[in-house]
Amino acid sequence: MSPIRINLYSDTQTLPTPAMRKAMAEAPVGDEQRGEDPTVNRLCEVVAELTGKEAAVFLPSGTMCNEIAICVHCRPGDEIITDRTAHILNLEGGAPAALSGASIWPLEGSHGVFTAEQVQQGIRPESRHTPRSRLVCVEQTANLGGGTVWPLETIQSVAEVARTHQLALHMDGARLFNAVIAAGIEAKKYTAPFDSVWFDLSKGLGCPVGGVLAGSAAFIEEAWWWKQRLGGAMRQAGILAAAGLYALEHHIERLAEDHRNARRFAEYIAEIPGISVALETVETNIVFFDVTATGLSAVEISDKLKSYGVLIGATDKARLRAVTHLDISQTDIETAAKALREIC
Ligand SMILES: *Cc1c(COP(=O)(O)O)cnc(C)c1O
């Protein structure tokens, strides 16, 4: 097996650049859980400003950002309305049920994006028999939806329905900045209707660890309680926050390059007999493609790609997912597409 040279498995696979490592090495640090780490404090201020919220808290992962937000918003027996493809429903180990005692009402959205009407229909009536609808969760961009960007108007109409029914609103903005760059819309505009929002530092932004959760001062106060309780309070975490500050300065605009590479990849592989890719759904850095017509399974194709030094994960029997990021060049994209053509 040749070593993996082109890693399209996920944008979580990025390695910190030498310049990022330098910023990390030079960061002033202190005791984060006592509020004494100046670099973490700075990161939280910058993120609160970027998202238009009063406060923010630095956490070890995006999953913890989602789950702490859900713990703050929901009580046992409450229900969360979200898309059936949502990360909180499919990829967080059942945490909403395990940690908050909340159930999830999944909506049948289009590529991870649902409508205000669907939310309306998903809200429970006032009744002792049903769970209590409590929270609406929007994923920007929708990961399993294919990196889909939620249009601002859709967010606003969904938020209006949620508000009318006194539901809280949470944005899983793991890839918020991919949406910002793809649509040319400021982060603040997207996050304005939400009570809580977070984005990941360790995906396309290229940091080794971390996510930042933002909301009102009261919300973040409660979030800190959960951070302590779950063991997410840290010590000299400024070395990690420094990577975040570096990324916010240097790695946002360049996401456009990842989007161009994803589009190139999709266009190359759309020409390969047996491969089916819906080009109009490739909006950011994620490309799902179907290999049913090749006669090979997704896992077989994924395995064969490895012998070319290319890693692309199979997401089910028929589909693979390729994700572009800062360690992937245009040449890598051409090499990966060529390998795929030879296999098919
Ligand atoms: C990756 C991801 C998460 C979880 O983030 P981690 O930092 O991996 O814990 C949550 N939601 C979405 C949409 C994601 O893509």
Side-chain angles (χ1 to χ4, degrees):
M1 182 84 59
S2 64
I4 297 300
R5 284 173 293 108
I6 302 175
N7 191 335
L8 292 161
Y9 181 79
S10 172
D11 47 10
T12 55
Q13 307 277 312
T14 53
L15 300 176
T17 63
M20 180 179 278
R21 285 175 183 265
K22 185 163 181 289
M24 295 170 77
E26 291 170 357
V29 296
D31 193 340
E32 190 257 359
Q33 63 175 260
R34 292 174 54 84
E36 292 168 0
D37 188 296
T39 310
V40 172
N41 292 347
R42 177 87 195 108
L43 175 66
C44 292
E45 280 165 25
V46 169
V47 170
E49 165 64 28
L50 268 174
T51 55
K53 303 297 174 200
E54 285 174 355
V57 58
F58 183 46
L59 292 168
S61 72
T63 300
M64 200 184 277
C65 291
N66 270 337
E67 295 307 329
I68 285 183
I70 292 170
C71 285
V72 174
H73 291 303
C74 297
R75 295 294 160 268
D78 286 350
E79 195 161 67
I80 303 165
I81 298 171
T82 193
D83 191 77
R84 69 184 167 81
T85 65
H87 200 278
I88 58 165
L89 174 57
N90 298 288
L91 296 168
E92 298 189 4
L99 302 178
S100 309
S103 54
I104 295 184
W105 183 258
L107 301 178
E108 190 79 27
S110 167
H111 301 285
V113 177
F114 48 82
T115 64
E117 293 71 47
Q118 287 177 301
V119 173
Q120 183 75 54
Q121 283 160 11
I123 295 172
R124 303 285 191 170
E126 287 273 332
S127 158
R128 269 188 279 134
H129 297 269
T130 61
R132 278 204 177 105
S133 302
R134 178 72 65 194
L135 178 68
V136 175
C137 180
V138 163
E139 200 172 290
Q140 179 73 307
T141 63
N143 177 349
L144 297 183
T148 328
V149 178
W150 272 75
L152 189 55
E153 315 77 67
T154 312
I155 285 180
Q156 286 165 345
S157 60
V158 161
E160 203 177 307
V161 171
R163 288 276 168 255
T164 307
H165 294 269
Q166 280 93 47
L167 305 186
L169 276 159
H170 172 69
M171 175 182 276
D172 171 344
R175 295 186 178 81
L176 172 61
F177 286 100
N178 291 89
V180 166
I181 292 301
I185 290 175
E186 250 191 320
K188 259 185 212 176
K189 288 232 168 76
Y190 281 130
T191 57
F194 293 88
D195 299 294
S196 52
V197 55
W198 68 274
F199 61 84
D200 230 328
L201 297 170
S202 68
K203 300 241 161 108
L205 294 181
C207 300
V209 176
V212 190
L213 174 66
S216 69
F219 172 87
I220 295 301
E221 189 60 37
E222 274 301 297
W224 256 104
W225 179 268
W226 279 102
K227 169 170 155 119
Q228 194 72 44
R229 182 181 264 174
L230 297 175
M234 295 177 271
R235 302 299 184 187
Q236 287 72 33
I239 54 166
L240 301 173
L245 285 166
Y246 179 88
L248 291 175
E249 206 162 311
H250 300 280
H251 289 173
I252 291 182
E253 296 301 323
R254 63 151 308 288
L255 291 170
E257 180 59 23
D258 298 345
H259 298 172
R260 278 194 291 275
N261 277 334
R263 171 132 300 266
R264 281 185 189 113
F265 183 69
E267 283 170 0
Y268 288 141
I269 68 168
E271 306 278 306
I272 300 173
I275 289 191
S276 158
V277 51
L279 288 175
E280 70 283 1
T281 65
V282 181
E283 297 182 41
T284 55
N285 68 329
I286 299 177
V287 182
F288 277 94
F289 55 99
D290 187 297
V291 296
T292 311
T294 63
L296 296 167
S297 75
V299 171
E300 284 169 328
I301 294 210
S302 179
D303 282 344
K304 285 181 195 292
L305 279 167
K306 283 179 198 156
S307 64
Y308 288 83
V310 175
L311 186 61
I312 302 179
T315 52
D316 53 42
K317 262 168 102 168
R319 293 194 313 160
L320 293 93
R321 185 188 77 156
V323 187
T324 57
H325 52 76
L326 60 81
D327 294 334
I328 296 292
S329 67
Q330 185 176 344
T331 318
D332 292 337
I333 286 300
E334 284 158 14
T335 309
K338 226 175 268 166
L340 201 50
R341 178 179 287 278
E342 281 180 30
I343 290 164
C344 295

